[in-house]
């Protein structure tokens, strides 16, 4: 335990003595706290390391993509230095000497200030930087990455990474020169001159200089995080000294549990018998949890997100202002009695101590309606003064010894909050209380205090993304709770109109789609670089190409026939076919399995079919199509296996396909998160499908129409691919093409990319190659097939989409 020792004289100084004398007169106080570690791994160093590595990767990737631009820029700079030879000589003379002199001078200055440990850290980083640069250079010279080696050396006999420059930058970073403005400016000026000298002497390339700088900085940050930095957090003795400057007279102090943000807290006893709860804000904790805050800031809309990084002073002022505002509003919160900085590395906030326990520790059966009313009354006081608490959880709501509600944790709050933040507070508290006492009691007690209008305003914000992390975790165990809360609010106000509020800028699924689309585009571009698309179209046999085009057109008619078979009402064939063309346009921005479902459902609703029945009809058609897909795959695989003249090795392929399907089913059903995801999606899509299928079975005409349409869709696409392969004069069996198509289509439907882009091309090309088609010919056939079935229908699809919207059919 750390102990604070004071002079033994217990007599206080006369009134008016300077503060230093008063501090010496204080009795010694034992601070009960764990010994603070001598060194810390600062999250800020790790964050800087990750940012530097990300920048390094981006620079290398950009340089590899824009080689010619960099070479041209390098030639221009080289010519410029030859035109000003004096500048080059001055840079060589000054930079070459100063790049060693300045770091040595800084080291001497630090040693005189008894900061030799920092210099030692810098020397370790410099040694690691020099060795690391040498090893990376040797690895590149050995031919392990020819493109990167050529980029960094320009084909000359020079070091890929300048070892001296790398070590100097690692040293500069590790000794934290960036915190000394004068030395920082001097050091970077010297480094710039040295780089100019190397560049004018053709001893380094432009990409090599940038990569060397980033590698040196990365090594410096890695060294700092690896060996840790001296702990500059003020100990408990410094906290008590700061309290004495605020005229408090502490006689005892002990460290208690940190708050949810990792800030230290102390329970301090005063000479008059009162107690303080002291929160210490440490500068090195300001970036704790930064990746999560950055992700939320990037993902959420502007009004709901919080600032990711605040200075120590800003965080202190924010919490103090919120505490004073809550007191002025009349809310029951611990009074803030004083604030103070503790040197330059920390600050404290001193609150009056109230004996309380968090609501999380109160058994649910003890939470009666009177307590719920108290909680809502406290929130109402904050809302009247436009104060948003933003952490209304069981840790932020306490009960004192008399059973009164006390709101704590004001640091996350907002003053002068907008309507959205105030409604978010209500939504958060509604969900938390519903988790404890059920939706009915939570909504009823909230309505008694806040009113129906406030609850209706919060209803659109009953979204998981709007809740705190702890509440989201608890909500995972009761997925129907949000729906139950909405039902209770609607029961209070049946005529309530709820406007949709989009809190998220994007969903993680959208991000996955973008990444997958980028990878798919890269694959397609790499394929197109090997094949001339114009030549593909020109060299293809026109008779087979026309047949493929006709099959592609018939597939849209077949889709319309299939949809008509699963709808009890009569649908016009022509307009229903236009809806299928419109779906092909939507596939440009939606996965293949999603765009068609959404368009058809919307089309049926516009035809006057009830939403539930429209969804059930589309779901039934999808389910039947899935069954046909599996049955045809097994049938064609069996036929292909029995045909010994085929080049497809079918029996083995059938076994592999069955094993792959079985393995996929085992994985999906064996991993709980995946199983829940699949069952939820299937339940959502096919919730009312069975009654719709029973209706279809009772109408033979509808059953025949739907089955014919479903079968025609598959056969026309197979025929299209079959004709595309024959268009390049290659003989292949129809059943073999069917197996390839059915397998690739299943993969493309599961891919998150628009229209299965990339996944379909890769699967079809691989399947045809396995079937014996040469790789280049398979690529050409697949590109022609996708041109006819995916890209060519986009323009008529857009026209159909516009036409249907203009005539209010979509």
């Amino acid at each position: 335990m750390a102990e604070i020792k004071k002079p033994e004289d217990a007599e206080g100084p006369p009134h008016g003595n300077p503060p230093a004398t008063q501090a010496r007169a204080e009795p010694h106080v034992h601070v009960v706290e764990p010994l603070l570690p001598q060194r810390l791994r600062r999250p800020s160093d790790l964050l800087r390391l990750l940012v530097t590595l990300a920048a390094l990767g981006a620079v290398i990737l950009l340089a590899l993509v824009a080689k010619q631009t960099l070479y041209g820029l390098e030639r221009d700079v080289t010519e410029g230095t030859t035109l000003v030879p004096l500048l080059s000589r001055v840079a060589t003379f000054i930079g070459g000497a100063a790049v060693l002199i300045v770091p040595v001078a800084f080291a001497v200055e630090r040693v005189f200030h008894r900061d030799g440990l920092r210099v030692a850290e810098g020397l370790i980083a410099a040694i690691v930087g020099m060795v690391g640069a040498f090893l990376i250079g040797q690895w590149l010279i050995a031919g392990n990455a020819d493109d990167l080696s050529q980029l960094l050396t320009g084909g000359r006999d020079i070091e890929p990474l300048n070892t001296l420059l790398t070590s100097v930058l690692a040293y500069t970073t590790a000794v934290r020169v960036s915190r000394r403005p004068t030395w920082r400016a001097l050091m970077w000026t010297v480094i710039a001159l040295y780089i100019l000298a190397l560049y004018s002497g053709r001893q380094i390339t432009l990409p090599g200089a940038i990569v060397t700088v980033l590698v040196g900085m990365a090594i410096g940050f890695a060294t700092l995080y690896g060996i840790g930095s001296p702990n500059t957090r003020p100990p408990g003795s410094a906290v008590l000294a700061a309290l004495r400057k605020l005229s408090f007279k502490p006689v005892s102090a002990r460290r208690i549990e940190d708050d949810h943000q990792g800030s230290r807290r102390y329970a301090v006893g005063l000479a008059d018998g009162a107690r303080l709860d002291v929160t210490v804000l440490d500068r090195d904790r300001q970036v704790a949890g930064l990746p999560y805050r950055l992700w939320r800031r990037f993902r959420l809309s502007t009004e709901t997100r919080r600032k990711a990084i605040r200075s120590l002073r800003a965080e202190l002022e924010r919490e103090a202002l919120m505490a004073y505002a809550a007191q002025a509003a009349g809310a029951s919160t611990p009074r803030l009695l004083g604030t103070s900085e503790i040197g330059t590395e920390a600050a404290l906030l001193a609150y009056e101590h109230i004996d309380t326990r968090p609501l999380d520790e109160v058994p649910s059966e003890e939470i009666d309606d009177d307590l719920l009313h108290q909680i809502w009354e406290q929130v109402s006081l904050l809302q009247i003064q436009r104060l948003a608490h933003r952490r209304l959880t069981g840790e932020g709501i306490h009960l004192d010894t008399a059973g009164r509600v006390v709101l704590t944790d004001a640091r996350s709050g907002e003053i002068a909050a907008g309507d959205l933040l105030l409604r978010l507070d209500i939504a958060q508290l509604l969900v938390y209380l519903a988790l404890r006492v059920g939706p009915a009691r939570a909504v009823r007690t909230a309505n008694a205090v806040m009113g129906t209008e406030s609850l209706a305003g919060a209803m659109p914000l009953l979204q998981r993304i709007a809740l705190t992390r702890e509440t989201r975790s608890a909500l995972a165990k009761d997925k129907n709770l949000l729906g139950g809360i909405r039902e209770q609010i609607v029961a209070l106000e049946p005529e309530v109109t709820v406007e949709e509020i989009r809190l998220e800028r994007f969903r993680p699924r959208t991000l996955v789609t973008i990444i997958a689309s980028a990878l798919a585009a890269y694959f397609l571009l790499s394929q197109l670089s090997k094949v001339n698309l114009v030549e593909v179209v020109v060299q293809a046999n026109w008779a087979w190409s026309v047949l493929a085009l006709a099959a592609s057109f018939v597939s849209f008619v077949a889709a319309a026939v299939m949809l008509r078979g699963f709808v009890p009402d009569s649908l016009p064939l022509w307009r229903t076919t236009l809806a299928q063309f419109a779906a092909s346009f939507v596939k440009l921005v939606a996965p293949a399995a999603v765009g068609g479902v959404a368009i058809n459902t919307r089309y049926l609703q516009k035809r006057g079919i009830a939403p539930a029945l429209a969804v059930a009809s589309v779901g039934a058609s999808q389910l039947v199509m899935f069954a046909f897909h599996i049955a045809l795959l097994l049938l064609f695989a069996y036929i292909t296996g029995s045909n010994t003249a085929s080049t497809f090795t079918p029996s083995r392929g059938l076994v592999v396909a069955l094993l792959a399907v079985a393995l996929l089913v085992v994985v999906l059903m064996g991993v709980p998160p995946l199983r829940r995801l699949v069952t939820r999606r299937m339940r959502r899509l096919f919730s009312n499908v069975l009654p719709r299928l029973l209706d279809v079975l009772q109408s033979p005409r509808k059953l025949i129409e739907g089955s014919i349409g479903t079968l025609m869709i598959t056969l026309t696409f197979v025929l299209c691919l079959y004709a595309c392969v024959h268009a390049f004069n290659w003989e292949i069996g129809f059943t073999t093409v069917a197996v390839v198509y059915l397998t690739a289509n299943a993969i493309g439907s599961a891919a998150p990319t628009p229209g299965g882009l990339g996944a379909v091309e890769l699967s079809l090309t691989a399947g045809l190659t396995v079937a014996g088609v040469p790789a280049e010919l398979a690529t050409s056939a697949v590109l022609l097939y996708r041109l006819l079935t995916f890209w060519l229908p986009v323009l008529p699809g857009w026209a159909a989409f516009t036409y249907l919207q203009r005539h209010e059919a979509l």
Side-chain angles (χ1 to χ4, degrees), residues 105-389:
F106 182 81
V108 171
E109 189 261 350
R110 286 291 89 200
V111 170
F112 272 115
H113 285 82
R114 298 181 180 180
D115 197 9
L117 186 59
R118 180 178 300 187
V119 177
E121 295 171 358
L123 290 176
I124 293 174
I127 294 171
V128 174
M130 182 169 291
V131 174
F134 175 77
L135 294 177
I136 294 174
Q138 292 301 309
W139 180 76
L140 292 173
I141 292 173
N144 293 287
D146 292 336
D147 289 344
L148 184 58
S149 178
Q150 176 70 22
L151 180 70
L152 298 180
T153 62
R156 302 192 293 270
D157 186 18
I158 59 176
E159 293 180 308
L161 298 178
N162 186 278
T163 52
L164 177 59
L165 183 58
T166 304
S167 61
V168 169
L169 280 159
Y171 168 87
T172 300
T173 304
V175 296
R176 300 187 187 276
V177 169
S178 59
R179 295 187 176 182
R180 307 287 298 280
T182 303
W183 283 102
R184 180 181 62 213
L186 180 60
M187 187 71 76
W188 279 105
T189 301
V190 167
I191 291 173
L193 288 173
Y194 185 61
I195 292 175
L196 179 60
L198 291 174
Y199 197 77
S200 60
R202 298 180 63 79
Q203 295 300 307
I204 199 171
T205 63
L206 183 60
I210 298 174
V211 170
T212 298
V213 170
L214 292 175
V215 168
M217 293 175 62
I219 291 174
F221 288 130
T223 303
L224 282 175
Y225 188 74
I227 65 177
S229 301
N231 189 356
T232 57
R233 294 180 183 176
S237 58
V239 174
L240 296 187
L243 288 175
R244 292 189 184 102
K245 292 180 180 178
L246 294 173
S247 301
F248 294 111
K249 296 180 179 180
V251 295
S252 65
R254 63 183 176 89
R255 176 92 173 264
I256 57 178
E257 184 181 0
D258 295 350
D259 66 11
H260 75 280
Q261 296 186 15
S263 298
R264 290 182 289 157
R265 294 192 303 168
Y266 292 87
V268 179
L270 302 180
D272 59 1
R275 295 172 62 187
L276 298 177
D277 289 331
V278 178
T279 300
V280 178
L281 308 179
D282 293 305
R283 186 181 299 277
D284 61 16
R285 294 293 304 171
Q286 295 305 108
V287 297
L290 180 62
Y292 175 76
R293 296 201 300 272
L294 286 174
W295 168 248
R296 296 275 292 184
R297 183 173 177 83
F298 179 59
R299 184 179 174 187
L300 296 180
S301 60
T302 304
E303 190 172 351
T304 60
R305 65 190 187 186
R306 306 174 188 177
K307 192 172 181 179
I309 303 178
R310 288 190 179 89
S311 66
L312 181 65
R313 165 64 65 174
E315 192 70 19
L316 176 67
E317 292 174 349
R318 175 192 176 87
E319 182 169 351
L321 186 59
M322 183 63 190
Y324 290 136
Q327 293 174 24
S332 178
T333 60
R335 285 195 308 129
L336 179 62
L337 302 179
T339 62
S340 174
E341 287 189 341
I342 312 174
T344 60
E345 298 296 325
L348 66 82
L349 299 102
Y351 292 91
E352 69 170 342
H353 173 76
I354 304 176
D355 287 326
T356 62
R357 57 173 176 163
L359 192 60
D360 275 345
E361 298 180 3
V362 178
S364 297
E365 54 270 16
E366 295 183 14
I367 302 179
D368 56 17
D369 285 0
D370 180 62
L371 178 57
L372 295 176
H373 280 94
Q374 283 192 57
I375 295 172
W376 285 111
E377 286 169 357
Q378 292 298 317
V379 174
S380 175
L381 291 174
L382 296 180
Q383 299 246 328
I384 291 173
Q385 297 299 320
R386 312 294 296 182
L387 302 178
H389 189 279

Side-chain angles (χ1 to χ4, degrees), residues 455-522:
L455 297 186
M459 191 161 64
L461 298 173
L462 292 172
Q463 308 174 31
R464 286 178 57 88
I465 190 65
L467 308 175
T468 63
R469 190 186 302 187
E470 299 84 355
T471 306
R472 291 200 302 272
S473 299
L475 198 61
K477 303 175 184 177
D478 189 354
K479 299 183 180 299
N480 299 320
L481 184 71
L482 294 180
I485 298 174
R486 294 189 188 99
E487 291 175 359
Q488 294 295 327
I489 297 176
V490 171
L492 293 173
E493 186 68 31
E495 303 298 326
V496 63
T497 57
V498 179
E499 80 283 9
E500 183 180 359
I501 297 179
R502 181 74 178 271
L503 295 178
E504 296 175 282
R505 293 175 180 271
F506 63 89
R507 296 177 180 175
R509 182 175 57 188
T510 305
L511 191 60
V512 171
T513 300
I514 293 173
I515 295 174
S517 300
L519 295 176
Y522 175 78

Side-chain angles (χ1 to χ4, degrees), residues 649-663:
T649 61
S651 58
R652 185 184 306 168
L654 177 59
V655 172
V656 171
L658 291 175
L659 289 177
V661 171
L663 179 62

